[in-house]
């Protein structure tokens, strides 16, 4: 009985050993098969050919690898290229190791964990939208009723990328320094893509735009991720709609032009640039700036281009997102302030300052914190406190040379204030100039006078660089004229009121169109405009010089051309009308004056001159109808 039990126990152990040997040899066989298959896959063209079955869409290569434990992969020198309708992506890594789940491969799922990557770099190149659309239209269309196979799922968990060498988007590239990225990544071919909670730390980096170094050194921090998005439809800046987390940037920046993105929809702000120390701490929720976000830049050579003018100097940029409601989950107004401690303002493309001073300021606010396309619905205030006009002679360059007006010297002060609502498309503002001892010549008269200008801005099309003005007054006072005989006349004055007008500032030759109403002490200026006839005019100078003159007309001043239309003047027993065209290639003028019942007509057309003493009114009307 005992022997029977012993024999049965021995037989059971023998069967167990046989089973274990079968299992062991089976596992060893599978291991051998795996070793052969996996290492052949990693070290031959077979694996690369199997992966790259659609080379028109992507290309993945590597320089060998090895695997001993099933699912534990080590690969060297990976290169990946993806070709899309509007962009191409190139990525490479020197080494990569990971654990891959073998069973999920059967259901078209590539699941890898403990992914460690060394020596990583990526470059993305996006084509202009028009070219990309043309390429997309030229490509083959899918056959009606065709169905695509379900795409592969790609899941990378516990990623750790050490030694990131560079990342570039078109000509913008960040490189060098020490960088590390950790996180989880999920995507599906022809499906959604997401980046789970990730942390990026990149210290002592260099930022390049093309071959130009624009930031050195730069420290970047990111703690957040991208919620699921479809890269086929969410392209470019639209991806920011899915970005949430904290972004930190700190460093020395030689080009602050990236901040121009905040004004992307505002065409009349042409550039914002400079160099200095930049620090930004941004809180994002689905692409929207959140309360607590702040950006500070202490800048040298700060530059702001607006409405055809350039403001330069030293100052700072301060951007904040406030929460006036006190509710942390609700984005408050976004505010960006550009402040110049010292500044000069010059008309582009000249280099001579038009105005210089301290405290020039631009403040932009909006309730829309969307970062994708820049801040929209902006309210903008530009304020230039009282500043010095160092040399009024530069303003003479905007006047036609044939006008015979030359401003030779003079200093003054100016003030400018402009409030713009991009959403309501309104503009309100004020421009003022006060100057004394403005000296120069007008035809054959030397002059010295004071000048005051007051202009109200009531609207305009700022994207086309035009401002509507009203209630403008230009006042010349305490004028002193001296003619070639050194005859002096003091106390001359003139006022020009502009009920309405338009100033076009965008081109290198700005121009002004306005209705004007004028009043002047006497007609000496009008007579001086016909200085070529002075030998004849001297006979009638006393008759034509009339005091307390008023008038009205329409003026267009464009570069070196002055057009004066429908000018009507009145004075003591005086009535006159005039039309003028003054420019580099033409000088035309016609004048009709009736004084004490005596009519006089003068006309110039190029080098031809004519004057009338009889039938003047009919002659003037006929000539205006025929030639003006």
């Amino acid at each position: 009985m005992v022997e029977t039990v012993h024999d049965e126990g021995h037989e059971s152990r023998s069967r167990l050993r046989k089973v274990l040997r079968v299992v062991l040899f089976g596992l060893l066989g599978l291991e051998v098969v795996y070793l052969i298959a996996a290492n052949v896959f990693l070290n031959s063209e077979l694996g690369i050919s199997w992966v790259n079955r659609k080379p028109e869409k992507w290309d993945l290569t590597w320089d060998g690898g090895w695997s001993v434990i099933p699912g534990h992969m080590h690969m060297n020198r990976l290169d990946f290229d993806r070709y899309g309708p509007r962009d191409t992506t190139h990525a490479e890594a020197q080494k990569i190791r990971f654990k891959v789940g073998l069973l999920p491969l059967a259901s078209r799922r590539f699941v890898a964990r403990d992914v460690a990557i060394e020596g990583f770099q990526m470059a993305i190149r996006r084509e202009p939208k028009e070219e990309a659309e043309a390429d997309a239209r030229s490509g083959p269309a899918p056959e009606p009723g065709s169905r695509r196979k379900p795409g592969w799922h790609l899941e990378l968990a516990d990623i750790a990328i050490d030694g990131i060498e560079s990342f570039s988007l078109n000509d913008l590239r960040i490189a060098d320094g020490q960088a590390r990225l950790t996180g989880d990544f999920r995507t599906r071919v022809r499906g959604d893509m997401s980046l789970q909670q990730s942390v990026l730390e990149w210290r002592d980096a260099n930022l390049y735009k093309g071959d130009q170094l624009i930031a050195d050194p730069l420290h970047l921090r990111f703690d957040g991720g991208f919620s699921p998005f479809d890269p086929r439809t969410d392209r470019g800046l639209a991806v920011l709609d899915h970005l949430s987390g904290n972004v930190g940037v700190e460093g020395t920046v030689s080009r602050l032009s990236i901040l121009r993105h905040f004004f992307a929809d505002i065409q009349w702000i042409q550039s914002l640039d400079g160099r200095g120390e930049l620090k930004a701490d941004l809180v994002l929720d689905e692409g929207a700036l959140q309360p607590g976000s702040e950006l500070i830049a202490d800048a040298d050579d700060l530059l702001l281009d607006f409405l055809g003018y350039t403001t330069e100097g030293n100052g700072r940029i301060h951007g904040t997102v406030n929460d006036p409601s006190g509710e942390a989950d609700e984005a408050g107004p976004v505010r960006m302030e550009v402040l110049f401690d010292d500044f000069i303002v010059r008309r582009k493309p000249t280099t001579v300052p038009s105005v210089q001073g301290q405290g020039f300021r631009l403040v932009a606010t909006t309730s829309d914190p969307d970062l994708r396309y820049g801040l929209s619905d902006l309210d903008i205030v530009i304020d230039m406190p009282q500043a010095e006009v160092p040399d009024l002679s530069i303003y003479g360059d905007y006047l036609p040379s044939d006008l015979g007006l030359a401003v030779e010297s003079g200093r003054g002060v100016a003030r400018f204030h402009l409030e713009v609502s991009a959403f309501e498309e309104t503009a309100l503002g004020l421009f003022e100039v006060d100057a004394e001892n403005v000296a120069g010549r007008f035809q054959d008269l030397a002059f010295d006078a004071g000048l005051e200008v007051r202009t109200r801005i009531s609207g305009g099309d700022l994207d086309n660089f035009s401002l509507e003005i009203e209630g403008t007054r230009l006042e010349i006072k305490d004028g002193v004229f001296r003619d070639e005989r050194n005859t002096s006349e003091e106390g001359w004055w003139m006022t020009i009121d502009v009920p309405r007008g338009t100033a076009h500032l965008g081109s290198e030759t700005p121009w002004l169109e306005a209705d004007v109403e004028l009043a002047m002490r006497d007609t000496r200026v009008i007579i001086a405009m016909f200085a070529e006839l002075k030998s004849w005019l001297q006979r009638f100078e006393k008759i034509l010089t009339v005091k307390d003159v008023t008038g009205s007309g329409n003026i267009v001043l464009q570069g070196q051309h002055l057009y004066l239309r429908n000018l009507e003047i009145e004075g003591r027993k005086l009535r006159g009308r005039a039309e003028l065209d003054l420019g580099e290639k033409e000088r035309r003028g016609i004048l009709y004056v009736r004084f004490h019942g005596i009519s006089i007509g003068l006309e110039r057309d190029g080098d031809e001159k004519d004057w009338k003493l009889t039938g003047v009114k009919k002659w003037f009307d006929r000539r205006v109808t025929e030639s003006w």
Side-chain angles (χ1 to χ4, degrees):
M1 182 68 178
V2 174
E3 290 181 358
T4 302
V5 173
H6 177 74
D7 291 341
E8 291 178 353
H10 179 74
E11 185 177 352
S12 297
R13 287 193 294 272
S14 177
R15 285 197 299 268
L16 179 60
R17 284 196 294 270
K18 290 180 180 179
V19 171
L20 290 175
R21 282 198 298 270
V22 170
V23 172
L24 178 61
F25 283 112
L27 291 175
L28 288 174
L30 290 175
E31 172 66 9
V32 171
V33 171
Y34 171 80
L35 286 173
I36 296 174
N39 286 278
V40 168
F41 183 89
L42 293 174
N43 293 279
S44 70
E45 292 295 327
L46 178 65
I48 294 176
S49 299
W50 185 84
V51 171
N52 297 302
R53 288 181 292 178
K54 292 187 176 181
E56 73 281 359
K57 292 187 176 182
W58 70 75
D59 183 24
L60 175 63
T61 61
W62 58 88
D63 290 344
W66 56 275
S67 177
V68 176
I69 302 174
H72 290 236
M73 314 294 287
H74 298 257
M75 304 174 73
N76 300 319
R77 183 63 186 181
L78 273 78
D79 283 276
F80 174 75
D81 290 282
R82 176 189 174 276
Y83 313 103
R86 284 187 56 189
D87 53 58
T88 59
T89 301
H90 173 77
E92 59 183 71
Q94 297 300 320
K95 294 182 179 180
I96 180 171
R97 63 181 184 273
F98 54 90
K99 301 175 183 177
V100 62
L102 299 177
L103 292 178
L105 294 174
S107 57
R108 303 176 69 86
R109 293 176 63 234
F110 183 90
V111 180
R113 299 189 180 280
D114 298 329
V115 182
I117 301 174
E118 299 178 16
F120 178 79
Q121 53 184 297
M122 176 181 286
I124 301 173
R125 171 67 60 177
R126 295 186 59 82
E127 298 178 1
K129 185 176 181 179
E130 294 78 7
E131 296 180 14
E133 288 178 347
D135 292 341
R137 287 194 296 269
S138 63
E143 297 180 3
S146 63
R147 293 184 179 180
R148 294 183 176 181
K149 293 182 179 180
W152 276 77
H153 286 263
L154 176 63
E155 298 180 19
L156 305 179
D158 300 323
I159 303 173
I161 304 178
D162 287 300
I164 301 176
E165 296 177 359
S166 69
F167 174 81
S168 64
L169 176 62
N170 288 351
D171 61 346
L172 198 65
R173 180 170 63 94
I174 183 170
D176 310 322
Q178 299 83 41
R180 177 178 173 83
L181 173 67
T182 60
D184 299 328
F185 175 78
R186 290 181 175 84
T187 186
R188 176 180 177 179
V189 177
R190 298 188 297 274
D192 288 345
M193 179 184 297
S194 66
L195 179 65
Q196 304 302 314
Q197 193 67 29
S198 304
V199 177
L200 169 67
E201 186 80 20
W202 199 328
R203 302 188 63 81
D204 300 322
N206 294 328
L207 182 64
Y208 299 87
K209 186 174 179 61
D211 295 330
Q212 182 184 10
L213 179 64
I214 62 175
D216 171 32
L218 191 67
H219 305 325
L220 301 177
R221 305 182 309 278
F222 174 70
D223 186 354
F226 287 88
S227 61
F229 66 93
D230 189 339
R232 297 171 299 175
T233 56
D234 296 322
R235 296 177 177 271
L237 294 176
V239 175
L240 290 178
D241 274 350
H242 304 270
L243 175 63
S244 298
N246 299 301
V247 179
V249 180
E250 185 174 355
T252 302
V253 180
S254 61
R255 294 292 307 274
L256 289 168
S257 55
I258 192 172
L259 299 180
R260 171 65 178 82
H261 171 71
F262 288 95
F263 303 96
D265 291 337
I266 310 300
Q267 302 302 316
W268 56 274
I269 297 180
Q270 298 151 281
S271 66
L272 173 63
D273 208 343
R275 59 184 176 86
E277 298 297 320
L278 173 68
K279 182 178 181 181
D281 291 295
L282 308 180
V283 182
L284 300 172
D285 183 15
E286 297 295 325
L289 287 168
Q290 298 301 298
S293 298
E294 184 176 33
L295 179 149
I296 300 173
D298 289 318
D300 298 323
D301 298 330
L302 189 59
L303 181 147
L304 173 68
D305 282 353
F306 70 100
L307 293 174
Y309 285 85
T310 294
T311 305
E312 299 171 297
N314 300 324
R316 66 191 60 87
I317 300 172
H318 189 197
T320 57
V321 180
N322 301 314
D323 183 17
S325 67
E327 299 177 10
D329 60 346
E330 183 176 333
V334 180
R335 173 187 172 93
M336 176 174 284
E337 179 177 14
V338 182
L339 176 64
F340 290 82
D341 296 326
D342 301 289
F343 71 89
I344 65 168
V345 178
R346 58 181 176 84
R347 174 73 191 175
K348 296 194 302 184
T350 63
T351 58
V352 181
S354 302
V355 182
Q356 61 188 32
Q358 296 178 329
F360 186 101
R361 186 176 65 142
L362 177 147
V363 178
T365 57
T366 180
S367 58
D368 180 9
D370 191 347
L371 273 181
R372 287 186 305 165
Y373 305 110
L375 304 179
S376 60
D377 298 345
L378 282 170
D379 291 326
I380 297 176
V381 175
I382 295 178
D383 187 65
M384 184 186 75
Q386 183 167 298
E388 179 187 5
V389 182
D391 185 4
L392 280 164
S393 65
I394 66 169
Y395 294 98
D397 296 337
Y398 300 124
L399 300 174
S401 56
D402 277 355
L403 184 61
L405 175 60
V407 180
E408 298 172 349
S409 65
R411 302 172 68 91
V413 295
R415 178 177 177 268
F416 177 71
H417 185 82
L418 179 65
E419 299 180 8
V420 180
S421 172
F423 178 72
E424 297 179 358
E425 298 183 348
T426 59
L428 298 173
L430 178 69
F431 175 67
E432 299 177 341
V433 175
D434 291 285
E436 296 181 353
N437 302 120
V438 182
R441 298 193 64 83
F442 185 70
Q443 298 292 354
D444 60 344
L445 297 176
F447 69 84
D448 186 289
L451 174 68
E452 290 185 3
V453 180
R454 302 285 186 272
T455 298
R456 289 208 310 268
I457 300 168
S458 59
D461 184 355
L462 271 66
D463 284 343
N464 289 322
F465 289 22
S466 67
L467 293 174
E468 300 295 332
I469 57 177
E470 67 176 14
T472 296
R473 166 163 283 202
L474 183 150
E475 184 174 357
I476 300 172
K477 58 185 181 179
D478 302 324
V480 178
F481 284 103
R482 293 180 180 85
D483 59 23
E484 59 186 6
R485 294 168 295 183
N486 204 30
T487 302
S488 176
E489 181 179 353
E490 300 181 358
W492 196 86
W493 56 268
M494 179 179 183
T495 61
I496 300 177
D497 291 305
V498 181
R500 57 187 176 275
T502 303
H504 301 265
L505 306 175
S507 64
E508 294 183 6
T509 55
W511 58 286
L512 171 71
E513 179 180 8
D515 296 327
V516 298
E517 297 174 356
L518 59 89
M520 66 183 77
R521 177 181 173 180
D522 56 49
T523 55
R524 287 175 64 91
V525 172
I526 297 175
I527 297 172
M529 296 181 74
F530 289 82
E532 287 80 358
L533 302 177
K534 60 184 177 181
S535 61
W536 182 86
L537 287 172
Q538 286 174 1
R539 309 173 191 174
F540 301 94
E541 184 173 0
K542 291 184 178 180
I543 297 176
L544 295 175
T545 302
V546 178
K547 297 184 179 297
D548 299 325
V549 177
T550 62
S552 64
N554 178 268
I555 186 173
V556 176
L557 179 61
Q558 185 171 15
Q560 289 296 309
H561 295 270
L562 171 67
Y563 305 96
L564 185 58
R565 292 288 181 266
N566 300 320
L567 175 63
E568 296 186 3
I569 55 175
E570 292 185 5
R572 299 175 183 175
K573 298 184 179 180
L574 168 71
R575 184 173 182 182
R577 294 169 58 191
E579 306 273 349
L580 289 174
D581 282 359
L582 301 178
E584 292 177 319
K585 296 183 179 180
E586 63 177 344
R587 181 176 176 84
R588 305 171 63 223
I590 186 168
L591 171 67
Y592 158 69
V593 176
R594 183 171 179 80
F595 181 60
H596 282 288
I598 300 175
S599 297
I600 300 173
L602 305 173
E603 182 177 20
R604 173 178 175 170
D605 190 350
D607 294 331
E608 298 181 3
K609 306 177 182 66
D610 191 15
W611 55 275
K612 291 290 182 182
L613 293 176
T614 59
V616 177
K617 180 66 167 58
K618 291 183 179 180
W619 167 83
F620 179 87
D621 290 339
R622 177 174 56 81
R623 292 295 300 147
V624 169
T625 301
E626 292 175 350
S627 185
W628 295 86

